[in-house]
Amino acid sequence: MKTYDLVQVLWVEDDPMVTESYPLKAESEGLKLVPYSCWDDAKKALEEDYDRWSAIILDAKCKQHKDSADNAIKFLGEALKDISKLSEKKGRILPWYVLTGGDESFISDSINDDRDAWDADWTKASHKKYYSKNTDTGILYKRIRANARKSDRLNVQDMYRNVFQAMERCGISDDACNALEDLLIPIHFPDSIDNKDYNDKFKKVRIVLEYLFRNMTKKGLLPDFGARCNLQWSSCLLAGKPARKNGVDIVKSNAAVFPTLISGIVKGMVNNVSTDVHSYEDDKETFYGKNIPEYLKIVRTTNLLKSYALQLCDIMLWYDWYLKRHNDEEINALNYWEVLKKEELKK
């Protein structure tokens, strides 16, 4: 099963033996279970990247906080309340399911009727509001996958299958794929988000570019800038121009990697989505540069960002083609660049 085909499931489970053994079976059903040991951590993941997830699995006997004891009634009460609020705020219902060990019918009163929107037929057939770890995991995985097939995210993955296949072949991070999906979904499913919220996603362009440039570093096409991804320097070197600081060449370019057309596209993106020269690998809360807010005051559309999303697709397809012909990291490092000021490289 390819990574881009896996349905992303936020999974609240605090038993290490379970989190180690369950994901393999889930993957065979097309799911990627991403575990969180308490609701606080899971809620943070939902708030930071709600678009990533297609479903939630809640272990009934889990913790609300890292240091709290298991308390099914309290945990489910808080979790379901938060999920409802987030779904309303984001404008998209995220299906959730309760999974528990053995017969835990006493927790049914803590499971509200919101789930009837996607899971009423399970209760009708099984007379349960929850799924048992002992007997129901297989059917639960199949039901999550079936519901996810209706999702905008999977539809976009199918529509741009060649792009995500190319990214996977190149070894580009799943985080970059998720960010690109977030940009593509509203193009084809405009009801999924309003214009203002979509234009707040310019930072997703930056995320995709950063992961692309980091991948190019691994392939020898760019020097290693350390923990920081220097978008401006990377863009210059790939266009066949030196990376400079205060008028001094830091890295010399021996040859361009990008063709002229892509160089111009990437330069425009970098100039508009980059607020500074450097960004740290763990910094996902960057904002676009000053030019875009001024532009959007006049041209009140989402066309600019949509065009960036589609251009990124073409860049990924071109990069896949290029790597097939230039796949030797050492030769790439010799042919394309030369560090002149090593002491300045990772500052």
Side-chain angles (χ1 to χ4, degrees):
M1 183 69 66
K2 301 295 185 182
T3 301
Y4 64 84
D5 277 331
L6 296 179
V7 174
Q8 302 286 308
V9 180
L10 184 139
W11 182 30
V12 191
E13 171 62 65
D14 62 353
D15 184 338
M17 292 184 65
V18 173
T19 56
E20 184 176 341
S21 60
Y22 277 40
L24 188 59
K25 181 180 178 182
E27 188 168 330
S28 70
E29 295 290 349
L31 310 182
K32 181 176 182 179
L33 302 185
V34 183
Y36 295 89
S37 61
C38 69
W39 178 243
D40 285 346
D41 291 346
K43 181 182 177 183
K44 182 179 179 182
L46 277 174
E47 291 173 333
E48 290 182 347
D49 196 359
Y50 190 84
D51 291 337
R52 173 182 177 181
W53 308 104
S54 294
I56 301 171
I57 296 178
L58 303 168
D59 170 31
K61 292 183 177 180
C62 205
K63 301 175 181 178
Q64 184 177 356
H65 313 296
K66 275 188 183 297
D67 56 354
S68 61
D70 291 353
N71 186 319
I73 295 175
K74 185 173 182 180
F75 161 70
L76 285 175
E78 289 299 317
L80 297 181
K81 181 173 65 176
D82 289 339
I83 292 170
S84 178
K85 288 181 179 178
L86 278 170
S87 295
E88 184 177 356
K89 179 180 178 181
K90 300 294 184 178
R92 177 171 73 93
I93 294 174
L94 201 54
W96 51 264
Y97 308 83
V98 176
L99 182 64
T100 187
D103 182 8
E104 303 289 355
S105 55
F106 75 92
I107 67 170
S108 292
D109 290 342
S110 299
I111 302 174
N112 62 41
D113 293 334
D114 288 357
R115 51 177 290 286
D116 287 347
W118 59 87
D119 213 31
D121 58 324
W122 169 253
T123 298
K124 185 176 181 179
S126 67
H127 307 291
K128 296 186 298 187
K129 292 184 177 182
Y130 56 88
Y131 293 79
S132 168
K133 290 181 179 178
N134 298 324
T135 59
D136 300 331
T137 54
I139 188 65
L140 172 59
Y141 297 157
K142 285 181 171 63
R143 291 175 68 82
I144 291 175
R145 179 71 183 177
N147 275 329
R149 284 197 184 100
K150 306 170 188 175
S151 75
D152 297 342
R153 184 168 296 272
L154 282 197
N155 284 327
V156 161
Q157 288 174 1
D158 284 338
M159 295 165 76
Y160 292 89
R161 180 170 293 267
N162 60 336
V163 174
F164 294 112
Q165 285 176 332
M167 293 173 74
E168 183 174 55
R169 283 193 295 268
C170 296
I172 295 174
S173 168
D174 288 351
D175 289 337
C177 294
N178 289 333
L180 184 54
E181 288 167 12
D182 292 343
L183 293 172
L184 292 169
I185 289 169
I187 295 176
H188 300 281
F189 303 98
D191 291 340
S192 66
I193 195 169
D194 65 32
N195 283 359
K196 178 185 179 299
D197 287 339
Y198 185 66
N199 278 332
D200 281 346
K201 293 183 181 293
F202 273 94
K203 63 184 177 183
K204 300 282 185 178
V205 175
R206 179 174 182 145
I207 290 171
V208 176
L209 286 176
E210 287 188 5
Y211 280 111
L212 172 64
F213 291 167
R214 293 185 196 284
N215 185 272
M216 287 181 155
T217 296
K218 293 178 183 178
K219 307 298 184 183
L221 296 169
L222 286 171
D224 184 0
F225 294 119
R228 296 182 288 188
C229 181
N230 193 312
L231 297 184
Q232 293 284 358
W233 283 3
S234 296
S235 175
C236 288
L237 291 171
L238 293 169
K241 299 176 181 179
R244 289 179 172 173
K245 182 178 181 180
N246 298 326
V248 177
D249 289 357
I250 307 301
V251 186
K252 173 187 174 184
S253 174
N254 295 326
V257 176
F258 282 155
T260 303
L261 179 62
I262 290 181
S263 292
I265 291 171
V266 171
K267 180 180 179 181
M269 290 181 184
V270 168
N271 287 342
N272 288 322
V273 303
S274 179
T275 56
D276 57 3
V277 175
H278 298 295
S279 72
Y280 287 88
E281 192 162 20
D282 60 354
D283 176 17
K284 300 292 180 66
E285 295 304 319
T286 52
F287 298 95
Y288 40 63
K290 65 179 181 179
N291 293 332
I292 288 178
E294 295 172 357
Y295 172 82
L296 292 178
K297 287 179 182 177
I298 301 169
V299 184
R300 297 179 179 275
T301 72
T302 57
N303 293 337
L304 178 62
L305 184 51
K306 288 174 180 175
S307 71
Y308 281 177
L310 296 173
Q311 288 165 358
L312 285 170
C313 290
D314 275 5
I315 291 169
M316 294 304 175
L317 292 172
W318 171 86
Y319 183 50
D320 180 44
W321 172 89
Y322 192 81
L323 277 188
K324 291 174 183 175
R325 294 155 178 79
H326 303 82
N327 57 10
D328 190 306
E329 178 183 339
E330 293 183 2
I331 291 177
N332 288 342
L334 288 172
N335 287 345
Y336 287 104
W337 49 269
E338 178 184 349
V339 176
L340 303 178
K341 301 284 185 180
K342 191 173 182 179
E343 67 280 4
E344 295 289 335
L345 192 64
K346 299 184 180 182
K347 283 187 176 180

